[in-house]
Amino acid sequence: MDERDAGFLKKLLATFKAEASEHISAISQGLIELEKAGPEAQAEIVERVFRESHSMKGAARAVNLSTVETLCQSFEDVLSALKRKQVSVSTGLIDTLHRSTGLLGELIAHIGEKGAFAAPERSRIRDLIRDFERIMKGVVPSSAPYGMSPVEPPGFSSAASGQGHEISAGAHPPAAGTVRVSKQKLDSVLLQAEGLLTAKQAAGHRAEELQAVMQKALAVKGSMPPELAGAWQQMQTSLAELGRAMEHDRRLLAGMVDGLMDDVKQISMLPFSSVLDLMPMVVRDLARGQGKEASLTVSGARIEIDRRVLDEIREPIIHLLRNAVDHGIEKPEARAARNKNPMGSVRIDIAQKEGKAVEVVISDDGAGIDIEKVRDSAIKLGVIADGEAGSSGGQKLLPLIFRSGVTTSPIITDISGRGLGLAIVQEKVEKLGGAVFCEQSEGRTAFRLLLPLTLATFRGVLIKVSGKPFMLPLTGFDRAVRIRRDDIRTVENRETVPIDGQSVPLVPLWKVLEMRGPEGNMPASAFLQAAVLGTAGHRVAFAVDEVLHEQEILVKDLGRQLARVRNVLGAAVLGTGQVVTVLNVSDLLKSALKTPPEKMAMERGEARTEKEKEKKKKAVLVVEDSITARTLLKNILEAAGYAVKAAVDGVDAFTMLKTERFDLVASDVDMPRMNGLELTARIRQDKHLSGLPVVLVTALESREDRERGIEVGASAYIVKSSFDQSNLLEVIKRLI
């Protein structure tokens, strides 16, 4: 091996070790959870651990670590048996899985060292595989000692715990004029710089408010008594000077914030080539392993993107390349029979889009996706009904390939057939706030990934739905359109509008978000406004009140308590200080298309009756110490037609209950001063409030926590980790 190849291999192995350490950590945590979980939660945990193992196996194959790959395969076989309920969770089984994870950690920690994968390790691997084979036959050991000391993940230094991953001692020293900074420190500086965006927008809003005050001052000049004219003129001069000073300060702050953010972002930007340099070898080796020939062509690799996005997108790209070779590219003789070049073509095309988005298209000239096999697999899995499948066209069935378990492979191999790869791709891309679509045309299959250029800040479009503001990421925003009501047509029982010569589904966004629609159901105008989301091959027009304007926003997640709320990506703070919900475009598209068409139809009936309009709103008190969760719950309930007030803790809430009338209390549990359990007990002890319904919405999800809620007299107990706004609204509707 020459010096260049040796250096390349060293770089490849270092990348694998960093990735594998994350997988091992996730698997270990999953096994700990699995042993403690009840039967109803085990399936989800097994699926999660299975995915981690599957991803690590693929990465090991890419660097020719057959020993690690073999052990992962045996590990997966046992998890598959767990999924099929052929074996059950037991202490002996968990011990054996932990022993396997520990050995994988040891093997990966010593990759590249002299004597790695020596006879003792190979012997232990053989013993473990035999144990797994016995488990598959129903013989589970009663106990399996670990027999090894804990192993730190590759590349992690105990001394640097809490400071992030450090480059190993064997790595090259930094170049002259540079310094080495941990990723966590860099991310912290970036987030603080991005946080200044709110200050910049607030300064702009204050300048606008001052201009409005000055205009009002001018308007009263004509009606002012003569004796006040001098004082008025002096005040006008002062206001004008203050306005000029504020505008100067606003411009100065905006320039400094923009410059700082640009500089810090540039530090975090890396070209796509930093992860794609290794991909041609991955494609070549995968193809040769299956008796095929394939080459990879990359365009746009110099385009730079946030390192945090790049770190997360590496694995989905490998999944899609593996998919192209395994499912798409045919063997040379089959290609020759179809008058194709025996060498299959795989492409990665990267382009920067408007609105600070990047598009990555991974395509191949193989046999394409067999729609009939997708249909059969989806029916077998229960994703669609047999009758429904018969009426669905090929393009409409393509999104099903992203569903876990749906596969076109006739058998399960070490590379594919488990129906997991594309589900993992979609999960990771959507977690970044992006979207992934599959497109198929004659001779080419393409997966289109839309990614944000940066993670925390991006361009968004402010809209109004049922009088409430929301933000749409520009990444998935196609355009705003003004639609004539007369142009609405019904196609295949679904309302559509013509856009660019295509019939695009039309859906009221307030229905997707389960909100109350505008007064009178439809605006009186002959036109309505809509936001068109998606790509050219997969679009939906969402009817809204208004499409306002575009601006840069800083997105904040909702915390681990609300880690996954359907149709919601996060929250953002406008320059006015108002918190708005940032919507998840991919979720909206799924919600719109999977809901029965009759439930998504635009309502054209008479306006609501006067009796309905005058109906008194039910009053709800939201008690939550987190401002983000408090704002989200308040918006959800107000959108559903309730009159809502908020309290920051139990003491604040009980004071309000003594002075105001409410029909229901929705409270968090873990709060300062007086928690939700104490508040519920106080309500039940008060003779005037004892009958008031109390709904506890909390992150505490153990059986003991639920029992404590019941003991103090809670009317309902909703866990935030499985939070669904429709569940909350249904519970409240039932109680009041």
Side-chain angles (χ1 to χ4, degrees), residues 485-504:
R485 288 199 219 168
D486 294 343
D487 290 337
I488 300 175
R489 298 286 183 268
T490 301
V491 178
E492 295 184 3
N493 201 33
R494 188 179 290 277
E495 289 187 327
T496 65
V497 290
I499 297 177
D500 298 337
Q502 295 180 335
S503 293
V504 176

Side-chain angles (χ1 to χ4, degrees), residues 213-257:
V213 170
M214 292 171 64
Q215 291 298 321
K216 289 179 181 178
L218 287 172
V220 301
K221 179 179 180 181
S223 59
M224 186 173 294
E227 60 271 17
L228 296 179
W232 177 89
Q233 185 64 46
Q234 189 176 17
M235 184 176 67
Q236 184 184 28
T237 302
S238 299
L239 277 174
E241 290 176 353
L242 181 60
R244 285 191 294 270
M246 180 172 283
E247 179 60 22
H248 174 270
D249 292 346
R250 184 194 69 78
R251 290 176 181 273
L252 182 63
L253 176 62
M256 293 173 64
V257 171

Side-chain angles (χ1 to χ4, degrees), residues 418-440:
R418 301 176 188 270
L420 280 171
L422 293 179
I424 292 173
V425 169
Q426 185 180 55
E427 183 181 287
K428 285 188 172 288
V429 171
E430 291 183 356
K431 188 177 178 182
L432 292 169
V436 57
F437 306 98
C438 179
E439 300 167 359
Q440 188 159 271

Side-chain angles (χ1 to χ4, degrees), residues 163-185:
Q163 301 299 321
H165 287 13
E166 303 290 343
I167 301 173
S168 63
H172 295 294
T178 65
V179 293
R180 180 178 294 157
V181 181
S182 72
K183 293 195 295 184
Q184 286 186 336
K185 289 180 179 178

Side-chain angles (χ1 to χ4, degrees), residues 377-426:
S377 181
I379 293 172
K380 185 177 179 181
L381 197 65
V383 173
I384 57 174
D386 202 345
E388 179 187 354
S391 62
S392 299
Q395 292 298 321
K396 291 185 178 179
L397 285 172
L398 273 178
L400 293 176
I401 63 178
F402 295 104
R403 296 291 292 269
S404 180
V406 174
T407 177
T408 59
S409 179
I411 60 171
I412 297 176
T413 69
D414 60 338
I415 293 180
S416 64
R418 301 176 188 270
L420 280 171
L422 293 179
I424 292 173
V425 169
Q426 185 180 55

